[in-house]
Amino acid sequence: MALLITEKCTNCDMCEPECPNQAISMGEEIYVIDPALCTECVGHYETPTCQKVCPINHCIITDPDHTESDDVLWERFALLHHADKL
């Protein structure tokens, strides 16, 4: 599952530098998460680090349009971080 930043975002700049996949960037009005890059921190951390550092409750949620299994997230992690080593 990819994560989604909701309209509750205050652009505090906490999440973007914490993302190990560089999936978070500034959108037109608030930060956005690229679902093609988001692994919910699988392969890096036990829980999504963007959610941990966000000061607003329920600002970063599971994206209902991008639900994926843990296996898919692990595959994406491998592609993003190990493809250059193969």
Side-chain angles (χ1 to χ4, degrees), residues 10-84:
T10 62
N11 296 324
C12 70
D13 302 319
M14 294 293 292
C15 61
E16 187 270 334
E18 294 297 324
C19 181
N21 299 320
Q22 299 177 340
I24 301 174
S25 62
M26 179 54 79
E28 288 186 32
E29 295 182 24
I30 60 172
Y31 280 94
V32 295
I33 298 176
D34 182 343
L37 297 175
C38 180
T39 63
E40 292 193 29
C41 290
V42 165
H44 295 283
Y45 305 108
E46 300 253 337
T47 59
T49 190
C50 60
Q51 288 179 326
K52 285 177 67 174
V53 300
C54 181
I56 308 299
N57 286 335
H58 308 292
C59 179
I60 303 174
I61 61 170
T62 300
D63 186 343
D65 294 331
H66 296 96
T67 57
E68 300 157 321
S69 69
D70 283 343
D71 289 339
V72 170
L73 295 175
W74 274 107
E75 288 174 23
R76 183 173 301 134
F77 166 78
L79 287 172
L80 291 171
H81 296 283
H82 297 291
D84 60 331

